[in-house]
Structures are given as structure tokens and as C-alpha cells.
Amino acid sequence: MLTPAVNVDKNLKEQNPHGTYDFPIDIHENVFSRDRHSFFSCHWHPEIELALMLEGSMHYQVNSREYVLHAGDVCFINANSLHMGSLISREAHTLSLIFHPRILYGYEEKRIQDKYVDPVLESSFSSCLLADSQKGTGTRIFQLITESLQLFEKKSPAWELFLKGNLLACWAAVYTLYEKEGSLQKPSVKAIESGKKAREILNYIHQNYTRKITLDEIARSASLSPGECGRLCKRVFHQTPFEYLNSYRIEQSLPDLLAHELSITEIALKNGFSGSSYYTETFKAVKGISPSKFRQQFAR
């Protein structure tokens, strides 16, 4: 399935199924391009994700951490971590292995869960890990996941056993990296609360971006003062609330822009901008070209 679409609920939890209850593993490819899908929006899921950059390069943000992924890199995204991504190169091709942690240890608490899984899931430093393509561990994980895709697609005899074996080998590599870095520490109450409020802010913006909204409204959605809201967004998203809001509006406007059914002014108003001038100014700041040139360049 070659699609970067992410279906989320009002709390930004992804609704796309990842395997089945009795075998919760999903592997799929995504193709990103500037003329169709240049990003995936902020979301989270209770499953763990290993994202491989097969071609091109992308900017990933996981909670408050930012990474640039190039071909050959592997990004570990922990369960329940907010994450989003956007293109750097003209096109990019990724492979995602998404699985529920119980596939590693079964349905009852066992030694593997207590000793090797929970310390990573509960660590304050483990929201994300980049396994560089130049390092031996990253290369090993890359190979294991590409082999897993073949097992997943061909479904030869005993494929589930081989796939789980690959998955356990990947986890052993991830766990070893965290252990070497001394990163297996539980998050603070403050960090947990910040993550909750960040989700509330994003949820409010995603639900209300088509109309005029104020900083006071965004802040109140997370029970924060405007100043606290601004500081939280800068710390977690490295953007002000309005910078994120306008970037999100621009990305949401792209399908209308490429469909050639609405004027620039109509698209601007539909996506929460006060008019075509402000929309054009913001579009240039985000995309580097005007909406008219973007429409011409990527005409269907």
C-alpha cells in the first residue's frame, strides 16, 4: 500500500489498523512527492514504529526531538509518541514496520517484557532513536526490516515465525543502543503533562484551522495561559502556535490548489486565511514559491 495518508481521531490517535489482534504487525511502503503528498500530519499510536528511509530525505519530529533522515537511515518511534514528517528532497520512499509491543512478549507479563521491553517503552529518552546508515547497528536493522517486508508480502510457509524472529532481532539492537547510551530512565510527571497538553493544542488547531482562531483560544484548549502555550509549542514543536497553524493550513490547502476547481481567494478563505494576499505570503514562506507557480509546476 503506497499511501502516506494518516486517519486520526479527535485526539490525534491514528485509526488505520496495524495488523490483527492475534498478530499485530503491519509493514507498508509510503511514497512522498511535492506534487501530491509532501508530509504526514502529527499523530500517535499505541504501537511501536521502525521507519526506514529507502530513497530521498525527510525531516522527522517525534515529540520535541527533530531528525533528518537520509536513504539508509532507520528511525525508531516509541509507542504513544507524537510524530510528524515532511519532505526535504523532491521525492522520498519510506518503509514502515509497525507492531504492538505484546508481539515481543505474548499476552502475559513475562521476563522479556519486564527486562527488555518496558524499560524502553517507559524511558523519558526513548521517544525516538535514529540508527544512522553509517553505523553497523543501523545497517543490521535496515536489512532485517527489508527482509521482513518480503516475508510479509510473500507469506511463505512459517512466515510468521521468521518475521517474529526478525522483529526480536531488531528489538535487541534497539535495546542495546539505548542501554549503551544510558537512556533507560522513566519520564517525569512534568514531561508526561507537557505531552498531554501538546496533544490538546494540536487537536484544537486541527479541528478549527478553517476559521479565525486566537492565541487565547488555543491556550484555553489546553488550560494554559497564552505565554505558557507559546513556550510549550516552541519547546515541543520548535514553532509558535501560529507558525504551526499556518503551516498546517498550507498543507491542507494543497489538494484544492492542485484540483484547479477553486480560485486562490476561495482556497485561502476555505482554509482559514483572511484573503489571497496573506495566503500567498504564507505559502511562499512555507513552500518557497507562490501558490500560482506551485499549481502550474504540479498541474495534473
Side-chain angles (χ1 to χ4, degrees):
M1 179 176 65
L2 300 179
T3 173
V6 179
N7 179 30
V8 301
D9 67 11
K10 65 179 182 179
N11 296 314
L12 304 182
K13 179 183 178 182
E14 184 178 1
Q15 298 298 290
N16 298 341
H18 297 136
T20 59
Y21 180 76
D22 59 349
F23 198 67
I25 299 179
D26 177 41
I27 307 177
H28 60 268
E29 297 177 78
N30 297 315
V31 174
F32 297 87
S33 62
R34 294 197 177 280
D35 60 336
R36 290 295 181 267
H37 300 286
S38 62
F39 79 111
F40 63 85
S41 59
C42 192
H43 66 285
W44 63 277
H45 40 70
E47 297 86 5
I48 295 160
E49 181 171 352
L50 286 166
L52 278 65
M53 186 61 56
L54 299 175
E55 297 176 358
S57 57
M58 291 187 69
H59 172 264
Y60 268 55
Q61 182 170 330
V62 185
N63 289 338
S64 60
R65 299 185 179 185
E66 293 186 277
Y67 299 92
V68 173
L69 271 68
H70 301 288
D73 289 343
V74 182
C75 186
F76 165 78
I77 301 169
N78 209 346
N80 303 314
S81 296
L82 282 170
H83 54 288
M84 67 186 89
S86 58
L87 265 178
I88 295 176
S89 56
R90 186 175 181 83
E91 294 183 350
H93 185 188
T94 68
L95 175 63
S96 292
L97 169 59
I98 304 176
F99 60 95
H100 196 283
R102 70 170 178 267
I103 195 68
L104 299 169
Y105 54 77
Y107 290 85
E108 298 178 1
E109 292 188 3
K110 298 184 182 296
R111 179 177 180 180
I112 289 177
Q113 179 184 5
D114 294 339
K115 187 173 181 179
Y116 298 108
V117 179
D118 285 350
V120 174
L121 297 182
E122 298 172 0
S123 170
S124 59
F125 297 99
S126 66
S127 62
C128 186
L129 172 71
L130 180 62
D132 194 289
S133 58
Q134 304 301 315
K135 297 178 182 178
T137 303
T139 301
R140 178 58 177 155
I141 296 175
F142 192 95
Q143 291 171 343
L144 286 166
I145 299 178
T146 52
E147 289 173 10
S148 296
L149 176 63
Q150 297 174 7
L151 291 166
F152 190 77
E153 291 181 336
K154 292 181 179 179
K155 292 181 171 56
S156 302
W159 69 274
E160 295 99 334
L161 293 175
F162 289 113
L163 180 53
K164 184 170 181 177
N166 279 5
L167 191 57
L168 287 168
C170 285
W171 191 259
V174 169
Y175 177 86
T176 300
L177 283 176
Y178 277 117
E179 189 177 44
K180 286 180 178 178
E181 295 177 2
S183 300
L184 300 178
Q185 301 178 27
K186 290 189 176 182
S188 65
V189 173
K190 182 178 179 181
I192 294 173
E193 183 64 18
S194 293
K196 178 184 175 182
K197 291 189 178 297
R199 290 184 187 182
E200 291 171 347
I201 290 169
L202 289 182
N203 175 52
Y204 187 82
I205 289 174
H206 291 188
Q207 295 294 317
N208 295 279
Y209 75 93
T210 58
R211 67 175 183 85
K212 181 180 179 180
I213 55 179
T214 66
L215 177 59
D216 282 343
E217 290 174 316
I218 297 172
R220 282 200 302 270
S221 71
S223 301
L224 295 170
S225 70
E228 290 172 328
C229 179
R231 288 190 291 273
L232 177 66
C233 288
K234 288 293 285 186
R235 185 172 69 252
V236 176
F237 308 123
H238 305 284
Q239 292 180 301
T240 67
F242 282 108
E243 285 172 342
Y244 180 86
L245 170 62
N246 282 336
S247 295
Y248 187 77
R249 283 171 167 167
I250 292 299
E251 295 296 343
Q252 295 304 113
S253 76
L254 297 183
D256 286 330
L257 191 62
L258 296 173
H260 289 266
E261 295 176 357
L262 300 175
S263 68
I264 299 296
T265 298
E266 289 171 326
I267 293 171
L269 296 176
K270 179 182 176 181
N271 288 278
F273 290 96
S274 57
S276 59
S277 296
Y278 185 39
Y279 173 65
T280 298
E281 177 186 340
T282 306
F283 197 100
K284 285 181 178 179
V286 173
K287 294 294 183 182
I289 59 175
S290 70
S292 298
K293 288 185 178 179
F294 185 93
R295 174 179 266 177
Q296 293 170 2
Q297 185 173 349
F298 299 111
R300 292 177 181 175

